[in-house]
Amino acid sequence: MKVLVSFLFFCIALLNVNSSISAQEVIDSTEYYKEILSNPKTKNDLTKAKAYSFFEDRIKENLQKADTLSAIRSLRSFAINQFDSGLFYESEISSVRSLELAENLQINAETNEIKTGVYNQLGKIYRILKNTDQALDYYKKALSYEANSRDSI
């Protein structure tokens, strides 16, 4: 009986060890590269270059599949990360690209939210670049798309 109990205990312990070894967390590539750009642990330019390349590839893939909303979401993430990295002009280009894509979409709450976010991003860019008039224009455009009256003037 002791041998049987010991054997069962051994089997259960072995199963727990195997499951903890194979139960590694799966990380989505988008989140992985977003994390690299948002919170770099090193100043490795190669790693950042891979992250930028990933986002560019993702945007192209989405456009080839005619998934405009996903392309816009990727562009917005890309623009935010460029801004956070101090790449203000690149962030402006990515933001404008996402607005151009959004212009072809049907007007609804989701596209209005997209435009609100992009215009706000452009306002932040121009504020940093000390172009306050243009920043204010973009902030006003962002507010004009906001459906919630608490978030508007």
Side-chain angles (χ1 to χ4, degrees), residues 6 27 37 59-60 84 86 104 133 150:
S6 296
I27 300 174
L37 293 175
I59 293 161
K60 288 176 190 173
D84 291 344
N104 298 323
D133 291 337
R150 292 182 311 174

Short mmCIF file of all heavy atoms in Angstrom, two decimals, residues 6 27 37 59-60 84 86 104 133 150:
data_model
loop_
_atom_site.label_atom_id
_atom_site.label_comp_id
_atom_site.label_asym_id
_atom_site.label_seq_id
_atom_site.Cartn_x
_atom_site.Cartn_y
_atom_site.Cartn_z
N SER A 6 3.13 6.01 -2.64
CA SER A 6 4.35 6.69 -3.06
C SER A 6 4.41 6.85 -4.57
O SER A 6 4.79 7.89 -5.09
CB SER A 6 5.59 5.92 -2.57
OG SER A 6 5.65 5.90 -1.19
N ILE A 27 2.86 35.35 -25.60
CA ILE A 27 2.74 36.79 -25.75
C ILE A 27 2.44 37.11 -27.20
O ILE A 27 3.13 36.64 -28.10
CB ILE A 27 4.03 37.51 -25.30
CG1 ILE A 27 4.32 37.21 -23.83
CG2 ILE A 27 3.94 39.00 -25.54
CD1 ILE A 27 5.64 37.75 -23.34
N LEU A 37 8.96 49.07 -27.63
CA LEU A 37 9.03 50.49 -27.99
C LEU A 37 8.60 51.39 -26.84
O LEU A 37 9.16 52.47 -26.65
CB LEU A 37 8.17 50.76 -29.22
CG LEU A 37 8.66 50.11 -30.50
CD1 LEU A 37 7.67 50.35 -31.63
CD2 LEU A 37 10.03 50.63 -30.89
N ILE A 59 1.03 46.59 -40.76
CA ILE A 59 0.19 47.56 -41.47
C ILE A 59 0.01 47.13 -42.92
O ILE A 59 -1.12 47.12 -43.45
CB ILE A 59 0.81 48.98 -41.36
CG1 ILE A 59 0.75 49.46 -39.91
CG2 ILE A 59 0.10 49.95 -42.30
CD1 ILE A 59 1.71 50.59 -39.60
N LYS A 60 1.10 46.74 -43.57
CA LYS A 60 1.02 46.29 -44.97
C LYS A 60 0.13 45.06 -45.11
O LYS A 60 -0.69 44.99 -46.03
CB LYS A 60 2.41 46.00 -45.52
CG LYS A 60 3.24 47.22 -45.78
CD LYS A 60 4.65 46.84 -46.23
CE LYS A 60 5.54 48.06 -46.26
NZ LYS A 60 6.94 47.69 -46.53
N ASP A 84 6.44 58.66 -28.33
CA ASP A 84 7.09 58.37 -27.04
C ASP A 84 8.60 58.20 -27.18
O ASP A 84 9.33 58.39 -26.21
CB ASP A 84 6.48 57.11 -26.41
CG ASP A 84 5.05 57.34 -25.96
OD1 ASP A 84 4.61 58.51 -25.84
OD2 ASP A 84 4.34 56.33 -25.73
N GLY A 86 10.35 60.05 -29.18
CA GLY A 86 10.89 61.34 -29.61
C GLY A 86 10.92 61.51 -31.12
O GLY A 86 11.51 62.47 -31.62
N ASN A 104 -12.01 56.97 -45.62
CA ASN A 104 -12.75 56.08 -46.52
C ASN A 104 -13.72 55.15 -45.79
O ASN A 104 -14.40 54.35 -46.43
CB ASN A 104 -11.77 55.25 -47.35
CG ASN A 104 -10.90 56.12 -48.23
OD1 ASN A 104 -11.34 57.12 -48.76
ND2 ASN A 104 -9.65 55.75 -48.35
N ASP A 133 -0.79 77.06 -32.41
CA ASP A 133 -2.00 77.29 -33.21
C ASP A 133 -2.47 76.00 -33.87
O ASP A 133 -3.66 75.66 -33.82
CB ASP A 133 -1.76 78.38 -34.27
CG ASP A 133 -1.58 79.75 -33.66
OD1 ASP A 133 -2.06 79.97 -32.53
OD2 ASP A 133 -0.97 80.61 -34.33
N ARG A 150 -19.27 65.20 -21.80
CA ARG A 150 -18.33 65.52 -20.72
C ARG A 150 -16.93 65.73 -21.24
O ARG A 150 -16.11 66.38 -20.61
CB ARG A 150 -18.30 64.41 -19.69
CG ARG A 150 -19.59 64.27 -18.92
CD ARG A 150 -19.48 63.19 -17.88
NE ARG A 150 -18.95 61.99 -18.52
CZ ARG A 150 -18.63 60.89 -17.90
NH1 ARG A 150 -18.77 60.80 -16.61
NH2 ARG A 150 -18.16 59.84 -18.54
#
